């Protein structure tokens, strides 16, 4: 019972930080999701406290132990979508090749535009 209460408090603490992050995102009017701001707030809290509170550690362990439940919707969607692969095989291959070519060209362009190193840098 004590552990369940600790997990409950930890989950609520994480939810409050996410909620504060959503509010911060709306207040700043930037295109960064509130969950990102919530994670930054969590990082600040953990840096300030210098250790993870027991409730947060218990909630995190619970979420990590049940991580596969969060992946189930994606896996079901992928399994259902497999029946469409045979119908659109040519389109999938053509788009895959096209995207790969664009990515290779983009990476080549970035590398060629990157300024050359000046002098002798000695990496240790």
């Amino acid at each position: 019972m004590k552990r369940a209460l600790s997990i409950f408090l930890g989950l609520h603490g994480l939810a409050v930080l996410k909620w504060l992050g959503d509010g911060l995102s709306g207040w700043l009017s930037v295109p960064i999701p509130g969950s990102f701001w919530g994670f930054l707030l969590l990082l600040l809290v953990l840096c300030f406290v210098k250790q993870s509170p027991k409730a947060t550690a218990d909630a995190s362990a619970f979420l990590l132990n049940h991580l596969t439940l969060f992946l189930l919707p994606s896996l079901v969607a992928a399994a259902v979508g497999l029946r469409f692969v045979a119908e659109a095989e040519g389109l999938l291959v053509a788009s895959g090749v096209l995207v790969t070519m664009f990515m290779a060209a983009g990476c080549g362009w970035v590398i060629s535009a990157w300024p050359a190193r000046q002098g002798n840098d000695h990496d240790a």
Side-chain angles (χ1 to χ4, degrees):
M1 186 67 180
K2 200 174 195 181
R3 180 166 162 80
L5 181 62
S6 178
I7 291 171
F8 180 77
L9 291 174
L11 288 174
H12 276 78
L14 293 173
V16 165
L17 287 174
K18 192 228 181 276
W19 177 71
L20 288 173
D22 286 338
L24 186 62
S25 180
W27 181 65
L28 293 175
S29 299
V30 292
I32 298 174
S35 56
F36 178 78
W37 292 111
F39 277 122
L40 285 180
L41 290 172
L42 176 64
L43 177 66
L44 287 173
V45 167
L46 291 177
C47 286
F48 181 72
V49 175
K50 301 281 188 194
Q51 66 181 5
S52 178
K54 175 95 170 96
T56 305
D58 288 344
S60 299
F62 175 79
L63 290 172
L64 285 174
N65 286 336
H66 296 87
L67 187 61
T68 54
L69 294 176
F70 296 111
L71 298 175
L72 278 178
S74 300
L75 294 173
V76 169
V80 169
L82 284 177
R83 66 181 172 161
F84 300 115
V85 171
E87 297 171 6
E89 184 176 352
L91 181 62
L92 288 172
V93 170
S95 63
V97 168
L98 188 65
V99 166
T100 302
M101 288 181 358
F102 278 134
M103 290 301 295
C107 289
W109 178 77
V110 167
I111 289 172
S112 67
W114 200 271
R117 283 188 167 190
Q118 302 291 326
N120 289 333
D121 289 336
H122 299 288
D123 294 335

